């Protein structure tokens, strides 16, 4: 087994402790509003596990866990002057945003790495409103696990959904020792061939939060981001009836989450509208049910704690909650080309030939891609498509594991799962596949260049489960 030393003084994974800092606003990140911001990555210390635990040595954007919330408006141009103060090279990938290829942050594919001490200016127009995020694309399993994650919010040009508060929960998952230091064993084959580096400490905006304050009667937009290396969440907001209004930043027909659970694979986001229908003084748990039988299960994420103030209103706000669609090109299914992607490998799966101690352990269409992140390494494309072409792809998961498959550059519509039409045909940038599941997607290859396609369980990505989609002009 890899080094895995659960914290013992408080059962963090059972959420049993009460934290003195419960008054902390969950929306603690600093918002950088406006078009030009600077951002640096470097070593820092942060209190993740709460009172009574020492700070953890982390890597952070601007010294904060998570990084500053970057907030812009649709139609703006984002300019981010980035400086790398890490002891190793890095890049930033703007997950889910439709950026020009040269701004996509993939080393050796769309840009050179930013060396330690180096700088890079990112600049891109913001076509879509929604909830996005940013993280490195170099040595990702290590850099993301050290804390390099942040939210990137693009506000709607015309706000159409009325809410009382706009909240953000960036979910992090950390594997800490008893002393609250990051456990080693990055890329351990036991993680890489199984479910990835799942941790023992789940944070909301960089800290364990036993309680989140809410007010009776208020309507909240809650933006959820799963920034974990590998953990999947399935959240049940007990006593409440959340409605999903966007997935992976893209508006969707408002609906109740299937089976009452908001499922988020690594990389995925969900925007919810929640009416706080409890009474002053009440409290309701937000519980996670994704891994019912595993040692690393999380039973409670936090608790919505109602203050004593009088309800803001007597009955839920009667106002529309549907967001306006983003200007995405609609796939032309009649004229589509079809190229499927078969996922294989992992423990109990058909391992790719010639496996070393660091893999490859996983493959897409029989090809295991390794080390694209080393400087100058250039992967051969697995799929080539002409610009403007609609492509339909079935991801066929022949493994016994969960894989959130992420495509850079082009949000896609989910057409079907296991042959059954998808109810909402939602736009996504990451589709979560269960064991032996198939999901069919469609997208327009809008922009020429080489774009990554990979599993967002970072330990899977780095041991073979990635590929390049080439869009030719
Ligand atoms: Cu958020 Cu290539 O990843
Ligand atoms: Cu995977």
């Amino acid at each position: 087994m890899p080094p895995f030393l659960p914290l013992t003084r408080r059962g963090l994974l059972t959420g049993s402790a009460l934290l003195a800092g419960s008054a902390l606003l969950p929306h603690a990140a600093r918002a950088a509003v406006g078009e030009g911001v600077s951002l640096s990555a470097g070593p820092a210390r942060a209190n993740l596990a709460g009172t009574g635990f020492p700070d953890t040595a982390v890597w952070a954007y601007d010294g904060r866990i998570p990084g500053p919330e970057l907030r812009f408006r649709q139609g703006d141009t984002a300019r981010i002057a980035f400086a790398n103060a890490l002891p190793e090279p890095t890049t930033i990938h703007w997950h889910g945003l439709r950026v020009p290829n040269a701004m996509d942050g993939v080393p050796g594919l769309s840009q050179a790495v930013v060396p330690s001490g180096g700088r890079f200016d990112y600049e891109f127009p913001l076509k879509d409103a929604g909830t996005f995020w940013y993280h490195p694309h170099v040595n990702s399993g290590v850099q993301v696990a050290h804390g390099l994650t942040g939210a990137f919010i693009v506000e709607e040009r015309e706000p159409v959904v009325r809410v009382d508060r706009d909240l953000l929960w960036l979910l992090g998952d950390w594997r800490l020792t008893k002393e609250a230091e990051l456990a080693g064993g990055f890329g351990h084959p036991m993680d890489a061939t199984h479910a990835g580096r799942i941790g023992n400490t789940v944070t909301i905006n960089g800290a364990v939060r036993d309680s989140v304050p809410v007010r009776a009667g208020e309507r909240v937009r809650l933006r959820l981001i799963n920034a974990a290396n590998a953990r999947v969440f399935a959240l049940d907001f007990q006593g409440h009836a959340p409605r999903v209004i966007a997935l992976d930043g893209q508006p969707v027909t408002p609906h109740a989450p299937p089976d009452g659970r908001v499922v988020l694979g690594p990389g995925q986001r969900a925007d919810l509208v929640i009416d706080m229908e409890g009474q002053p003084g009440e409290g309701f748990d937000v519980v996670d049910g994704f891994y019912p039988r595993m040692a690393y299960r999380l039973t409670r994420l936090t608790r919505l704690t109602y203050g004593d103030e009088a309800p803001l209103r007597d009955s839920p706000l009667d106002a529309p909650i549907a967001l306006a669609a983003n200007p995405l090109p609609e796939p032309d299914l009649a004229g589509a080309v079809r190229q499927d992607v078969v996922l294989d490998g992992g423990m109990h799966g058909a391992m790719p030939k010639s496996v070393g101690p660091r893999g490859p352990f996983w493959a897409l269409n029989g090809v295991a891609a390794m080390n694209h992140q080393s400087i100058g390494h250039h992967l051969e494309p697995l799929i080539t498509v002409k610009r403007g072409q609609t492509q339909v792809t079935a991801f066929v998961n022949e493994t016994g594991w969960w894989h959130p498959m992420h495509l850079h550059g082009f949000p896609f519509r989910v057409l079907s799962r296991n042959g059954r039409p998808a109810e909402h045909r939602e736009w996504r940038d990451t589709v979560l596949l269960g064991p032996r599941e198939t999901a069919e997607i469609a997208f327009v290859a809008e922009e020429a260049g080489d774009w990554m396609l990979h599993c967002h369980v970072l330990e899977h990505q780095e041991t073979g489960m990635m590929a390049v989609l080439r869009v030719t002009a």
Side-chain angles (χ1 to χ4, degrees):
M1 288 295 288
F4 189 98
L5 305 166
L7 293 174
T8 50
R9 279 174 55 206
R10 308 183 323 161
L12 288 180
L13 283 178
T14 60
S16 60
L18 277 168
L19 183 66
S22 63
L24 279 173
L25 283 179
H27 194 193
R30 170 172 65 85
V33 183
E35 300 211 344
V37 295
S38 58
L39 192 68
S40 70
R45 296 191 73 82
N47 185 270
L48 305 169
T51 317
F53 282 97
D55 288 355
T56 304
V58 295
W59 287 348
Y61 292 114
D62 286 3
R64 309 169 61 100
I65 299 289
E69 177 189 326
L70 303 181
R71 202 171 253 268
F72 297 90
R73 175 142 309 150
Q74 189 175 19
D76 285 354
T77 296
R79 292 189 186 83
I80 298 126
F82 174 63
N84 180 13
L86 295 168
E88 61 178 55
T90 193
T91 57
I92 306 181
H93 171 58
W94 313 97
H95 183 123
L97 285 162
R98 288 190 289 157
V99 303
N101 189 259
M103 295 292 130
D104 198 42
V106 181
L109 202 65
S110 69
Q111 71 168 97
V113 292
V114 184
S116 179
R119 313 181 63 88
F120 190 87
D121 291 334
Y122 290 96
E123 177 175 335
F124 43 88
L126 297 163
K127 302 179 190 174
D128 300 330
T131 303
F132 304 97
W133 67 297
Y134 60 97
H135 63 80
H137 226 283
V138 175
N139 198 15
S140 305
V142 169
Q143 294 192 6
V144 169
H146 274 71
L148 291 169
T149 60
F152 194 114
I153 307 299
V154 186
E155 293 172 354
E156 289 78 27
R157 211 185 300 253
E158 313 284 346
V160 289
V161 173
R162 187 179 150 205
V163 295
D164 300 303
R165 286 196 297 153
D166 188 323
L167 294 187
L168 165 69
W169 291 1
L170 184 143
L171 304 177
D173 179 34
W174 308 77
R175 189 181 288 179
L176 301 179
T177 67
K178 288 201 206 74
E179 291 72 41
E181 288 302 327
L182 273 178
F186 294 98
H188 194 289
M190 183 59 80
D191 291 328
T193 58
H194 290 72
R197 181 182 167 101
I198 294 181
N200 54 12
T201 305
V202 171
T203 55
I204 298 177
N205 299 338
V208 173
R209 292 181 204 277
D210 295 289
S211 164
V212 169
V214 299
R215 178 165 181 191
E218 67 174 341
R219 172 169 286 182
V220 165
R221 175 175 183 171
L222 178 60
R223 302 171 185 264
L224 295 166
I225 301 175
N226 182 352
N229 276 42
R231 180 182 287 276
V232 182
F233 295 91
L235 302 180
D236 175 0
F237 291 77
Q238 294 189 345
H240 294 79
R243 280 162 298 168
V244 181
I245 61 166
L247 291 167
D248 293 355
Q250 303 297 340
V252 64
T253 308
H255 61 277
D259 306 319
R261 306 195 317 169
V262 180
V263 176
L264 292 162
Q268 293 188 314
R269 286 89 64 214
D271 286 36
L272 311 178
V273 164
I274 309 180
D275 288 312
M276 297 301 166
E277 297 187 75
Q279 294 304 310
E282 286 191 307
F284 297 88
D285 285 346
V286 180
V287 300
D288 179 80
F290 193 76
Y291 304 102
R293 282 172 300 277
M294 307 299 273
Y296 43 75
R297 74 184 172 275
L298 167 77
T299 53
R300 197 178 86 189
L301 175 67
T302 191
R303 183 168 174 85
L304 301 179
T305 304
Y306 282 71
D308 292 327
E309 316 93 303
L312 197 59
R313 54 180 69 82
D314 296 330
S315 54
L317 194 61
D318 181 21
I321 58 167
L323 293 162
N326 282 318
L328 295 167
E330 187 59 41
D332 162 26
L333 295 181
V337 292
R338 187 176 181 111
Q339 311 197 64
D340 291 348
V341 173
V342 177
L343 289 61
D344 208 345
M347 190 49 69
H348 320 301
M351 295 275 197
K353 289 190 188 65
S354 67
V355 175
R358 292 283 165 195
F361 301 126
W362 304 92
L364 297 176
N365 288 353
V367 181
M370 293 287 285
N371 295 327
H372 78 294
Q373 287 150 333
S374 63
I375 299 163
H377 188 109
H378 201 94
L379 280 180
E380 285 308 308
L382 185 74
I383 290 175
T384 300
V385 61
K386 271 181 91 118
R387 187 176 63 190
Q389 177 70 48
T390 291
Q391 177 168 325
V392 171
T393 292
F395 290 115
V396 182
N397 180 7
E398 296 197 337
T399 82
W401 302 90
W402 290 82
H403 303 286
M405 295 300 295
H406 173 47
L407 174 63
H408 288 213
F410 316 113
F412 48 79
R413 270 199 194 280
V414 179
L415 301 180
S416 72
R417 284 185 177 270
N418 297 326
R420 242 175 284 125
E423 192 181 345
H424 302 290
R425 292 169 66 85
E426 68 269 26
W427 291 102
R428 282 198 167 281
D429 56 57
T430 305
V431 62
L432 181 63
L433 299 166
R436 318 273 164 208
E437 197 179 11
T438 293
E440 196 182 32
I441 66 158
F443 61 93
V444 178
E446 241 190 312
E447 173 131 357
D450 283 353
W451 302 92
M452 289 298 298
L453 167 67
H454 63 87
C455 177
H456 222 288
V457 170
L458 301 175
E459 294 71 26
H460 294 175
Q461 175 194 351
E462 292 184 328
T463 54
M465 201 168 252
M466 62 184 164
V468 167
L469 171 87
R470 174 167 293 169
V471 180
T472 57

